[in-house]
């Protein structure tokens, strides 16, 4: 008889035959940077997540540098928003200032720059709006300008999250033309129009003022289309690709793995909020749930996980 329990007998033997292991280097921690001074503002829907002003960033940078995680994903929250998202591609914008500061303080931490206009537009959409429609091709030059500006201030990886068609090719061209031929692009290739982003929109103050994002983000029903999106970003020049959200989309992660490109999964704000809420009520064991969720994302095929749990998880991991 097959006795599977032989290999489950002790921690030593379980550890020996473990197929999937999480490590600290798999993790990326998102950070929200607000304009202003002496700010450490809690995000109500995301317990233990804060918006920081640059003069208070050291607190989180010290923790991140010590934790062994690979890097940070930076979201700037500008004081000024307008129709054309001008603060997004201002070389002295909040995101640019934050990246310069972080690269100066912690050069070894990778800085991933999210490229999207929604935090910077007055209407909160990810592209240029005309007559209530989010325009695609008119948005590409703005995204390109933003990407170049973020590369200039030291971003290690450029990560477009807007879901306009053709943005990877446009951004690649713009980076190359400006001399950033060695700056990689991590594309949010399969980003679904998900209810799981709600807490993020509180954190980044980026909720759309009208309508929703369904004309550019993907329909959660479409797994095969997700693979076409990923394939097309690879053809346009993406160096790494992403599936987002993570836990409700493990099937997509599994399939995307077969394309043999570095694969990132974004364990998003709503996934985080649900775990934190249940933990605060004493209904689940937060540490075990978090490590199990992250492990599952990795087992499905993700090489890298962006998660608000990154700093906690790094502390909780036994060997990495
Ligand atoms: C900006 C962006 C969003 C997220 C990352 N980049 C929000 C959105 O598309 O509305 C979501 C992250 C999260 O929920 O944790 N386009
Ligand atoms: Zn956006």
């Amino acid at each position: 008889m097959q006795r599977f329990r032989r290999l489950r007998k002790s921690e030593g033997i379980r550890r020996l035959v473990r197929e999937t292991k999480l490590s600290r280097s798999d993790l990326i921690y998102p950070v929200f940077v607000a304009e202003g001074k002496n700010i450490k503002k809690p995000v109500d829907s995301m317990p233990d997540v804060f918006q920081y002003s640059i003069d208070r960033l050291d607190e989180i940078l010290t923790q991140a540098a010590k934790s062994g995680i690979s890097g940070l994903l930076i979201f700037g929250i500008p004081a000024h928003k307008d129709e054309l998202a001008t603060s997004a591609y201002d070389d002295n914008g909040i995101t640019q200032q934050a990246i310069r500061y972080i690269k100066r303080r912690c050069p070894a931490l990778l800085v991933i720059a999210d490229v999207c206009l929604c935090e910077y537009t007055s209407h909160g959409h990810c592209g240029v709006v005309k007559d209530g429609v989010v325009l695609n091709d008119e948005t590409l030059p703005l995204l390109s300008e933003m990407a170049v500006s973020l590369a200039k201030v030291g971003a290690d990886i450029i990560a477009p999250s807007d879901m306009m068609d053709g943005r990877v090719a446009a951004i690649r061209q713009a980076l190359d033309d400006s001399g950033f031929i060695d700056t990689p692009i991590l594309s949010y290739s399969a980003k679904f129009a998900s209810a799981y982003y709600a807490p993020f929109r509180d954190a980044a103050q980026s909720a759309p003022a009208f309508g929703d994002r369904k004309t550019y983000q993907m329909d959660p029903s479409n797994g095969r289309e997700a693979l076409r999106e990923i394939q097309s970003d690879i053809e346009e020049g993406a160096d790494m690709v992403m599936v987002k959200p993570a836990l409700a989309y493990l099937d997509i992660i599994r399939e995307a793995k077969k394309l043999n490109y570095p694969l990132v999964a974004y364990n998003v704000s709503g996934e985080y909020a649900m775990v934190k809420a249940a933990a605060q009520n004493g209904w689940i064991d937060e540490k075990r749930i978090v490590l199990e969720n992250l492990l599952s994302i990795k087992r499905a095929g993700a090489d890298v996980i962006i998660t608000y749990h990154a700093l906690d998880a790094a502390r909780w991991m036994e060997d990495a």
Side-chain angles (χ1 to χ4, degrees):
M1 163 160 78
Q2 274 283 11
R3 289 197 181 272
F4 292 104
R5 295 183 54 189
R6 283 182 200 120
L7 299 182
R8 294 176 195 154
K9 217 160 43 181
S10 66
E11 176 52 21
I13 204 157
R14 289 193 294 272
R15 186 161 166 264
L16 181 70
V17 298
R18 201 156 278 154
E19 296 175 24
T20 307
K21 285 179 186 168
L22 270 177
S23 22
R24 296 177 175 91
S25 61
D26 300 333
L27 305 179
I28 300 289
Y29 185 64
V31 174
F32 299 99
V33 187
E35 217 156 313
K37 286 220 158 25
N38 197 25
I39 298 169
K40 180 183 177 183
K41 187 172 175 253
V43 177
D44 292 338
S45 49
M46 300 177 74
D48 304 323
V49 171
F50 300 85
Q51 295 179 355
Y52 292 92
S53 51
I54 292 178
D55 58 346
R56 298 280 301 265
L57 262 185
D58 277 2
E59 176 181 325
I60 207 77
L61 296 182
T62 313
Q63 280 183 60
K66 270 198 300 212
S67 69
I69 67 167
S70 283
L72 306 175
L73 175 64
I74 309 301
F75 294 102
I77 304 153
H80 170 79
K81 305 192 187 213
D82 58 35
E83 291 270 306
L84 290 177
T86 51
S87 323
Y89 39 90
D90 172 350
D91 287 351
N92 267 314
I94 180 63
T95 314
Q96 286 80 355
Q97 289 181 40
I99 292 176
R100 261 194 228 105
Y101 183 81
I102 296 167
K103 287 314 293 186
R104 193 151 19 101
R105 301 288 290 185
C106 303
L109 270 181
L110 288 173
V111 166
I112 305 181
D114 185 274
V115 171
C116 195
L117 305 184
C118 55
E119 292 118 77
Y120 308 86
T121 49
S122 38
H123 45 69
H125 275 289
C126 303
V128 175
V129 171
K130 196 169 170 222
D131 302 327
V133 176
V134 178
L135 301 177
N136 194 89
D137 298 10
E138 290 75 358
T139 301
L140 302 182
L142 305 189
L143 294 169
S144 302
E145 205 174 329
M146 181 179 183
V148 170
S149 169
L150 296 168
K152 237 192 276 176
V153 296
D156 296 292
I157 300 175
I158 295 295
S161 69
D162 52 282
M163 289 299 280
M164 298 301 129
D165 290 316
R167 78 231 205 257
V168 173
I171 290 171
R172 185 69 272 159
Q173 185 72 54
L175 288 172
D176 291 354
D177 289 348
S178 304
F180 297 104
I181 54 169
D182 287 329
T183 301
I185 295 176
L186 158 58
S187 180
Y188 286 67
S189 301
K191 177 173 178 182
F192 290 87
S194 169
Y196 282 103
Y197 307 149
F200 174 92
R201 292 176 191 173
D202 289 344
Q205 287 149 14
S206 63
F210 65 89
D212 52 43
R213 302 206 202 287
K214 291 181 188 166
T215 67
Y216 42 106
Q217 297 181 350
M218 289 192 58
D219 187 323
S221 307
N222 294 358
R224 282 176 288 136
E225 186 191 353
L227 294 175
R228 296 206 304 278
E229 276 276 10
I230 296 168
Q231 190 68 57
S232 123
D233 280 357
I234 290 171
E235 282 158 19
E236 286 183 36
D239 302 282
M240 309 172 76
V241 294
M242 192 194 298
V243 173
K244 174 182 174 195
L247 289 169
Y249 297 84
L250 295 178
D251 57 327
I252 318 278
I253 294 174
R254 186 60 150 193
E255 287 299 312
K257 177 78 176 169
K258 298 179 186 157
L259 299 173
N260 293 319
Y261 266 71
L263 181 59
V264 181
Y266 197 146
N267 177 221
V268 300
S269 56
E271 300 176 286
Y272 174 85
M274 293 194 304
V275 169
K276 295 297 275 191
Q280 286 185 341
N281 276 293
W283 295 338
I284 55 164
D285 178 333
E286 180 177 359
K287 170 179 167 178
R288 292 190 55 208
I289 291 275
V290 166
L291 292 176
E292 186 172 334
N293 280 351
L294 298 179
L295 182 76
S296 302
I297 295 167
K298 185 142 188 215
R299 194 190 60 237
D303 300 298
V304 177
I305 305 171
I306 300 172
T307 179
Y308 304 94
H309 298 292
L311 298 180
D312 290 331
R315 263 190 290 110
W316 293 331
M317 267 175 214
E318 260 128 48
D319 53 293

